[in-house]
Amino acid sequence: MELEQMKQLWQQHDEKLSQNISLNEKIIKGMIANKSKNEIGRILTWEYINASICALVVVVYVAMWGHTPNVAGLWLSYFFSLALMTATLLYSLYKISYLSGINFAQDPVTSTREKIESFRLRMLKARMLEIILFAPLILSVYVVVNYWVHQQNILDNTATYAPRIAIALLVGIPAVVYVYRKVYFDSIKQLKESLKEAEGFVHG
């Protein structure tokens, strides 16, 4: 009888311990969710702004289709910049969907950490690609918009416009690096630190 009572007491102890662990995990995940709101919110806000601007540019480009003559350099600039803006819009929507799909309050901490790390690696690649494509994008957009406004094809006289384009590149590329650091990588760093701390509590 005493042995049976001991088994029952031990079983009750295990159940209470499991309940406490489960409760602790829920509390920790709730804390992570609260701490992550600002960091995820910063990235999502930027992505919504970016997506809105890209969508507006795409609409303008499509509306100006008939106002862009079929001149080799101008036509190429038009389609190249339109394609990049469309791709940027789609990628922003993908990032919004990806981040919105992470549930910090319910998903396992390890799984969430892996998703955040995967996102960080993608942003590293995206930053490199954006730096590489920044110069041709700026040039192609400037060619097209300048023609819409002034009815002049700058490709016929590139020397005149070269200083302006050079200034845009000197300012733009560091701006891209800065935005990626402040919007993405600083936020990701804070998220990873919070998740690492939480993981220590869960498994500690």
Side-chain angles (χ1 to χ4, degrees):
M1 187 65 181
E2 292 181 359
L3 182 60
E4 187 65 27
Q5 288 178 342
M6 289 179 62
K7 287 182 179 179
Q8 291 177 356
L9 289 173
W10 187 258
Q11 185 176 2
Q12 291 174 1
H13 173 74
D14 284 346
E15 289 176 355
K16 289 181 179 179
L17 182 61
S18 298
Q19 290 174 357
N20 288 335
I21 292 174
S22 178
L23 180 61
N24 289 338
E25 288 183 357
K26 288 181 180 179
I27 293 173
I28 291 169
K29 287 178 181 179
M31 292 172 60
I32 296 172
N34 289 329
K35 292 177 70 174
S36 66
K37 283 181 180 178
N38 291 335
E39 308 304 333
I40 291 294
R42 184 181 295 113
I43 299 175
L44 287 176
T45 298
W46 172 258
E47 291 303 336
Y48 280 118
I49 294 172
N50 192 42
S52 299
I53 293 173
C54 289
L56 179 61
V57 172
V58 170
V59 170
V60 171
Y61 262 63
V62 173
M64 295 298 289
W65 175 286
H67 299 275
T68 309
N70 190 5
V71 178
L74 188 59
W75 203 238
L76 179 62
S77 297
Y78 175 85
F79 279 106
F80 179 77
S81 51
L82 175 59
L84 279 184
M85 286 296 176
T86 304
T88 302
L89 169 60
L90 294 175
Y91 194 47
S92 283
L93 295 176
Y94 166 77
K95 285 183 281 185
I96 291 171
S97 175
Y98 184 88
L99 292 175
S100 299
I102 300 176
N103 192 328
F104 289 86
Q106 295 183 6
D107 294 345
V109 176
T110 303
S111 174
T112 302
R113 189 162 59 87
E114 289 174 354
K115 290 178 182 178
I116 294 299
E117 176 62 14
S118 176
F119 184 75
R120 185 186 72 85
L121 294 175
R122 292 176 189 180
M123 289 306 96
L124 284 172
K125 295 177 182 178
R127 182 181 62 179
M128 180 60 65
L129 184 61
E130 192 164 332
I131 291 173
I132 292 171
L133 294 175
F134 188 80
L137 175 61
I138 287 295
L139 177 60
S140 60
V141 170
Y142 190 51
V143 167
V144 174
V145 174
N146 186 78
Y147 182 83
W148 290 342
V149 176
H150 301 292
Q151 299 296 304
Q152 295 176 350
N153 187 355
I154 70 172
L155 297 175
D156 295 333
N157 188 15
T158 54
T160 303
Y161 298 93
R164 301 179 190 178
I165 296 172
I167 292 173
L169 294 178
L170 289 174
V171 174
I173 293 177
V176 169
V177 175
Y178 176 79
V179 166
Y180 266 87
R181 180 172 64 84
K182 294 299 292 183
V183 174
Y184 296 108
F185 297 120
D186 284 356
S187 297
I188 290 172
K189 182 180 178 181
Q190 290 298 321
L191 288 170
K192 290 181 67 176
E193 288 178 355
S194 297
L195 290 168
K196 184 177 180 181
E197 181 181 356
E199 197 172 26
F201 279 115
V202 172
H203 298 293

